[in-house]
Amino acid sequence: MQITPSAVCDAVKTIRQKSPLIHNITNYVVMNYTANALLALGASPVMAHAEEEMEDMVNISGALVINIGTLSDHWIKAMFRAANEAGKRNIPVILDPVGAGATKYRTRITREFLETVPPTVIRGNASEILAILQDDAKTKGVDSTVSSSAAIRDAHRINLTYGSVVCISGEVDYIISSDHLIKVMNGHQMMSMVTGMGCTASALCGAFAAVNTSVTTAVSEAMSVMGMAGELAVTSATGPGSLQYRFLDALFTLSHEDIERLLKIEVLSWKDYIS
Amino acid sequence: MQITPSAVCDAVKTIRQKSPLIHNITNYVVMNYTANALLALGASPVMAHAEEEMEDMVNISGALVINIGTLSDHWIKAMFRAANEAGKRNIPVILDPVGAGATKYRTRITREFLETVPPTVIRGNASEILAILQDDAKTKGVDSTVSSSAAIRDAHRINLTYGSVVCISGEVDYIISSDHLIKVMNGHQMMSMVTGMGCTASALCGAFAAVNTSVTTAVSEAMSVMGMAGELAVTSATGPGSLQYRFLDALFTLSHEDIERLLKIEVLSWKDYIS
Amino acid sequence: MQITPSAVCDAVKTIRQKSPLIHNITNYVVMNYTANALLALGASPVMAHAEEEMEDMVNISGALVINIGTLSDHWIKAMFRAANEAGKRNIPVILDPVGAGATKYRTRITREFLETVPPTVIRGNASEILAILQDDAKTKGVDSTVSSSAAIRDAHRINLTYGSVVCISGEVDYIISSDHLIKVMNGHQMMSMVTGMGCTASALCGAFAAVNTSVTTAVSEAMSVMGMAGELAVTSATGPGSLQYRFLDALFTLSHEDIERLLKIEVLSWKDYIS
């Protein structure tokens, strides 16, 4: 397994050409930014959460992204219904367990997902990933209190138990499958000062998974594109406000040359990693 | 019937002076951008969807804008209640049937609106307008799969049946009344990469309808102002991120000179068009 | 009582260092911007409204901000439940009665808050503050129809009756406690053309209250920081679109020098004011 600049570039091109429809059931805070990021990348976002239309919407989509950032009970039903339908149709499902560990409610719903409709991908920060298996994991609201590497072992256990590819985002992003551990070292600290960057990453995982049969590769490409666009945006940003729009512009203009120059990714076999 | 740069300019000035209150029951994705666009134009937005306050809010408003982009059942009741009240008070209602055709749910609700509280204006892309009368119309989520001209005949039939002025937006925007077909050729392709530009157009239709007794003229002016502000924004944008804020700045600064220079509008009588 | 540039600067530094978690139950329109403003200031925002998690979320938060801008019934229960919990734990609660006076529904809920769980701080425009005690107060949707000074007497009565520190925002912001009247003269007219600036001010009040035991001082500091960041942003903005992101950048970069140069605040004892 290898992830080259050319492969990343090809994936971006495919998204721009095919413009896959990405169905998002996400939180109120980030809906606008998520939709704009998917559009800037070249995908076609749709946000919908009415139970009555879940099957219809999932069936025309290339991926389903579920994000529990502003959860409430009548949304949960729609989320499960959509995830069920996606499962039947072999449509990849990305789960973003925002704030798992911060409240018992979010932890419980996250675990219910894994037990009943295990997603294709789980992407969260280290605190959120740790909260899946550990009752005493600590999180500070929706921000992590530990570095992403702290959750690698748990991520691998989650993968072995539920089959989901796990992405732990942080200063370094880790993508964990049964066989591989991929480290993405792109990105910039200032991105954490823009709300919903993690949620955007999950949506981008959906876009890449919609055009790539290897889920692990798709998630790794998505996370590296997030990071590279962030690095490009930071160079001309004067703060998190300007970073926000420049990030969208960077997703839109991201070129083969940018990717050649910036991509920092490392693919390890899980065996090599643990030895 | 004629729509001159001076007339468009006067309408903009009137909005800036009177700052009409525009009541929006719209989707979560675009609420912020819609509110900011109305403010930048000079109008005064309010977003409210609680059934308990629909009559109170409609009664102090100059127009009501209803958008089904992230529909769910308890919002529908408020939408109908508000539309009913607006009807009684002769307050113009703009309906934006986002995603009609994408799911049976959205198509059904759109048709129920037309049957029970026909709006003053319907504004949608071609796929959405086609879905109103045709069961097999195709749409890709919330984006159109056909060019705007493909829906002109249906739009005219909708107008004759329900009385609504119909606006089909796309590369060329068509505004259809019983007697006229107006073509607005302003705008720029990159605008379709910013989420909610269509929804913003609907909200602007509300603002213009609030200060103009001719609905057809108001909608035509609104669509041309959208397009011209987009063209101004694109000249200095480096992608859809910067386009987003520059569009708001352009709405705010749009001048008589800009309108003189940019306005591209054509008014046809329906008779001339079909012959 | 005195509010010096150094004190304001120290408060900002403390927020940047401690990054207090601010729990927001706010309206759909401003959630994204509010979260981004809190992040740009250095605080850590969380948005959550499910009844099931209110106690858990309040208990890890430094302040609770409640905003009724897009109210509906099942949110109200969560708001009261969160406010109750915050009261028990001595966590400051900021209430933003958006649109009180515009509809009977909003006025009623605002009054119920004051009667049952009086907030630590109420921040609103003059129309909203007047609507609390007067049935015939007029408001235009969510914008005020009168200048902020018109509500000073009412604000003082509210403080004496319910104990809440009252902030009336407008061209001049007034902060009213039982003993003091503080005038903040920072800010710029163009800020009223960006949606949710008032809501952002309320959220910032939460961040300052989370790190400062004097509520009156905290609110005064928050309002002055809002105003100064706005002034800095306006200098390079070409309209309300660019103002929006530049404001976030200014919150992020706001320095001791900026505060020294820009702070315009006046502390009066209530006795001196009325004589």
Side-chain angles (χ1 to χ4, degrees), chain C residues 2-9 221 259 263 265:
Chain C
Q2 243 201 325
I3 297 173
T4 63
S6 290
V8 175
C9 191
E221 288 170 348
I259 298 172
L263 185 69
I265 200 165

Side-chain angles (χ1 to χ4, degrees), chain B residues 101-215:
Chain B
T103 69
K104 291 181 288 295
Y105 183 58
R106 295 178 187 223
T107 307
R108 176 166 61 78
I109 298 302
T110 301
R111 290 174 181 177
E112 268 180 46
F113 256 107
L114 287 166
E115 293 292 342
T116 59
V117 278
T120 321
V121 178
I122 311 173
R123 195 218 57 81
N125 63 38
S127 288
E128 290 158 351
I129 298 301
L130 289 171
I132 292 171
L133 300 179
Q134 301 180 31
D135 279 335
D136 56 351
K138 289 274 170 280
T139 181
K140 184 183 171 186
V142 296
D143 298 319
S144 186
T145 53
V146 291
S147 104
S148 50
S149 61
I152 291 176
R153 294 284 160 154
D154 276 45
H156 198 233
R157 276 183 59 205
I158 292 167
N159 173 269
L160 295 181
T161 312
Y162 301 105
S164 310
V165 169
V166 183
C167 171
I168 319 161
S169 56
E171 205 183 312
V172 175
D173 303 320
Y174 295 94
I175 295 92
I176 287 120
S177 68
S178 55
D179 303 326
H180 290 93
L181 176 99
I182 291 126
K183 295 168 69 171
V184 175
M185 287 148 294
N186 288 110
H188 189 280
Q189 171 63 20
M190 205 199 274
M191 295 170 77
S192 67
M193 300 196 74
V194 175
T195 195
M197 275 293 181
C199 308
T200 299
S202 296
L204 260 52
C205 289
F208 281 86
V211 299
N212 198 323
T213 48
S214 161
V215 177

